[in-house]
Amino acid sequence: MQGTSENAPDSTPHASPLTPHARVNLFGLDRAALRAEFEKMGESGYRADQIMLWIYRRGVVDFEQMSNVGKALRARLEAHFVIRPPELVTEQVSTDGTRKWVLRLEEREGRPETMIETVYIPEANRGTLCISSQAGCAMDCSFCSTAQGGFSRNMTTAEIVAQVYFAGKALGGDFQNEKVISNVVFMGMGEPLANYNAVLPAIRILLDDFGFGLSKRRVTVSTSGLVPFIDRLGDDVDTALAISLHAPNDQLRDQLVPINKKYPIAELMDACRRYLAGKDRKAHIVYEYVMLEGVNDQPEHARELAKLLNAAHGGYSAKVNLIPFNPFPNARYTRSKPDVISRFSDILRAKGLLTMTRRTRGDDIDAACGQLVGKVQSKQKKRLGDIPVRVQ
């Protein structure tokens, strides 16, 4: 199946590097693609496994340091490939330990330089890395600073994966310590499923034992609700899914999350049921719900949300993350008061829903949920009609 989209990746992640003057960044090739390239070079596919272990388990990006690879092959690799981490522009560290890195993307096809943001959230027994998949976002959610900043371009697979490598190096370079980066969430800048062809190989590298080796429950893809690509994700890879829901009915969600006009809640819930079908009973979908004062935070909203999710999930569990709104300049909303959030949570729990209120992290450095803006120079707004709608 192939999706059709104006937002297709800027380069095909499986393109052959064996062309003059076109060294391909190996961060962009998953194991199947890298094995295929080695076989084109007349080398055994297992050489790809060796190279991946050097990159993702030992943090080595210099071919000369790959001691179990012959000198002649190292020279050929140097001629055809590059392993290029992103360039750090700025680093900020919050009072709560959260780190935000602004990273510069490569100039592409004469476009101006573009920067994205990656956030690391440390906790006692785990570390969560929030990565971006697009420079900017075209979803136009009214409560999100990233969406209000406009859309520049899709990121390549290499640019997505390189964020994880960069963070591992910045955090001490211990790629074997699962507590340093234990979880990766596609909750940074952009709508991951609108850049599906680049995101899928990135997920495979994150999960691969020869890649970062993360558990399928520790990689989470968040989406505002691109229904055809939720189905495709379920077919292509097993990973955790988060839905940016934010409203219990179509009338309200149309205002907050405009993609709902194309894929209303009933279609979205059907896609969620299909995503869970056949998975073990420990599987669940996380529903993200930003708390906006006087907009979506009343008891009737909580009761309607509980009814919706309980009906949609059957024997599978649904988890709700309540997210206190994080303000940004010229925002039209304010954060729900703590007692209102607590009451909302109590109603959901009484209806049998696993509910957590997300603790705001990194808001003093604009690293909290919905605050990432990077530097999107084009500031163009995509129309909802440009968002991928078909799977062939």
Side-chain angles (χ1 to χ4, degrees):
M1 295 186 296
Q2 296 294 324
T4 59
S5 168
E6 181 177 306
N7 284 347
D10 294 300
S11 63
T12 304
H14 292 182
S16 171
L18 303 181
T19 55
H21 313 298
R23 294 199 302 166
V24 164
N25 193 340
L26 289 190
F27 285 129
L29 300 178
D30 62 22
R31 183 150 52 120
L34 188 54
R35 274 177 162 258
E37 296 300 344
F38 270 76
E39 289 167 2
K40 288 178 184 178
M41 296 170 67
E43 298 286 343
S44 173
Y46 86 90
R47 290 293 190 185
D49 305 352
Q50 287 182 311
I51 298 301
M52 289 187 71
L53 288 174
W54 278 109
I55 299 170
Y56 301 114
R57 291 310 180 100
R58 300 179 185 178
V60 173
V61 294
D62 182 352
F63 292 117
E64 286 302 312
Q65 295 181 26
M66 299 179 182
S67 56
N68 62 349
V69 178
K71 184 175 181 180
L73 178 55
R74 293 201 303 267
R76 295 184 71 196
L77 294 176
E78 187 72 36
H80 294 305
F81 300 106
V82 66
I83 311 171
R84 186 185 302 113
E87 178 186 349
L88 174 65
V89 179
T90 61
E91 177 184 49
Q92 292 176 278
V93 182
S94 168
T95 55
D96 64 23
T98 298
R99 293 175 180 266
K100 181 175 78 171
W101 298 291
V102 176
L103 305 175
R104 179 178 286 111
L105 302 184
E106 297 178 6
E107 294 184 17
R108 296 178 58 79
E109 299 173 359
R111 299 178 184 180
E113 71 173 15
T114 303
M115 301 176 196
I116 54 94
E117 298 182 355
T118 306
V119 174
Y120 176 71
I121 306 169
E123 297 179 72
N125 294 309
R126 62 189 239 168
T128 299
L129 187 68
C130 180
I131 63 174
S132 297
S133 55
Q134 295 179 309
C137 185
M139 294 296 103
D140 201 26
C141 297
S142 59
F143 53 85
C144 179
S145 178
T146 309
Q148 297 308 301
F151 174 84
S152 180
R153 69 169 174 87
N154 282 321
M155 294 172 64
T156 65
T157 298
E159 290 168 337
I160 295 168
V161 171
Q163 294 172 85
V164 187
Y165 175 88
F166 172 88
K169 279 291 189 180
L171 295 168
D174 187 356
F175 284 71
Q176 301 296 317
N177 187 347
E178 294 181 355
K179 291 182 180 180
V180 176
I181 301 177
S182 61
N183 296 67
V184 174
V185 296
F186 285 79
M187 297 182 183
M189 298 173 66
E191 161 57 65
L193 298 190
N195 189 17
Y196 189 84
N197 290 343
V199 166
L200 180 61
I203 295 171
R204 288 176 170 154
I205 292 170
L206 292 172
L207 299 178
D208 197 320
D209 288 339
F210 290 88
F212 290 104
L214 294 172
S215 161
K216 63 185 180 182
R217 297 290 170 250
R218 294 184 178 273
V219 176
T220 301
V221 178
S222 178
T223 178
S224 58
L226 297 185
V227 166
F229 286 86
I230 293 174
D231 288 330
R232 188 170 174 186
L233 184 70
D235 290 338
D236 288 342
V237 71
D238 189 3
T239 189
L241 181 67
I243 301 293
S244 293
L245 190 59
H246 309 302
N249 59 67
D250 286 325
Q251 182 178 3
L252 182 53
R253 195 166 190 264
D254 284 351
Q255 300 172 36
L256 300 177
V257 187
I259 194 65
N260 193 73
K261 298 173 184 176
K262 183 164 289 184
Y263 303 115
I265 287 176
E267 290 186 29
L268 179 57
M269 292 298 103
D270 285 344
C272 290
R273 277 191 289 269
R274 292 191 296 271
Y275 191 84
L276 290 172
K279 291 183 169 58
D280 62 67
R281 289 293 170 179
K282 293 182 179 179
H284 62 258
I285 292 175
V286 175
Y287 293 90
E288 299 165 313
Y289 196 99
V290 65
M291 298 297 292
L292 306 171
E293 185 176 28
V295 176
N296 64 351
D297 62 352
Q298 298 305 296
E300 57 267 28
H301 295 129
R303 288 189 286 269
E304 190 175 4
L305 179 63
K307 182 178 180 180
L308 171 72
L309 296 183
N310 281 326
H313 275 253
Y316 290 93
S317 63
K319 179 180 178 181
V320 181
N321 269 353
L322 302 179
I323 306 170
F325 172 68
N326 295 304
F328 56 89
N330 302 315
R332 68 184 83 169
Y333 304 108
T334 56
R335 180 183 295 179
S336 300
K337 294 179 173 55
D339 62 318
V340 172
I341 298 176
S342 179
R343 178 181 62 185
F344 198 98
S345 177
D346 288 344
I347 294 172
L348 295 182
R349 288 174 177 166
K351 298 291 186 180
L353 293 173
L354 178 61
T355 305
M356 297 181 64
T357 299
R358 185 180 295 176
R359 183 162 66 97
T360 298
R361 299 288 298 271
D363 55 338
D364 58 326
I365 57 171
D366 291 334
C369 182
Q371 291 186 319
L372 304 187
V373 293
K375 183 180 180 183
V376 184
Q377 292 199 353
S378 69
K379 299 291 185 184
Q380 61 178 307
K381 289 285 188 179
K382 292 286 185 179
R383 303 181 307 276
L384 283 179
D386 295 334
I387 304 303
V389 297
R390 297 186 302 278
V391 177
Q392 296 179 341

